[in-house]
Amino acid sequence: DWSVTGVQTCALPICIDGNAGGQSPTSYGVTALPAGISVNARTGLISGSPVKTGRVLAEVWAENAQGRGVATLEITISQ
């Protein structure tokens, strides 16, 4: 069992959310995800099964024709 921590703690899966100019994102991305975790670039869903414990700072983004929004997500994997 593991959780994603930052402003809140939650279990997988989680979803990147946002909008710009009143338009929903058309693509999503994340850098530095732990091994075994991935993001669906079309839906923003982050899911998977991590292979080891640890802490990672990942940059998440959502973008559309209006531009890109970026945030940092702290991911802590614990058992």
Side-chain angles (χ1 to χ4, degrees), residues 13-19 25 27-31 33 38-47 59-63 69-71 73:
I14 63 171
C15 194
I16 303 168
D17 190 21
N19 68 57
S27 65
Y28 303 87
V30 182
T31 62
L33 282 173
S38 63
V39 62
N40 182 313
R42 291 185 348 188
T43 66
L45 184 70
I46 298 172
S47 62
E59 183 177 90
V60 298
W61 69 86
E63 62 186 354
V70 179
L73 176 66

Side-chain angles (χ1 to χ4, degrees), residues 2-7 29-35 37 46 53-61 70-77:
W2 69 284
S3 63
V4 176
T5 59
V7 175
V30 182
T31 62
L33 282 173
I37 307 297
I46 298 172
T53 61
R55 178 179 170 265
V56 172
L57 291 177
E59 183 177 90
V60 298
W61 69 86
V70 179
T72 300
L73 176 66
E74 179 181 346
I75 302 171
T76 302
I77 302 169

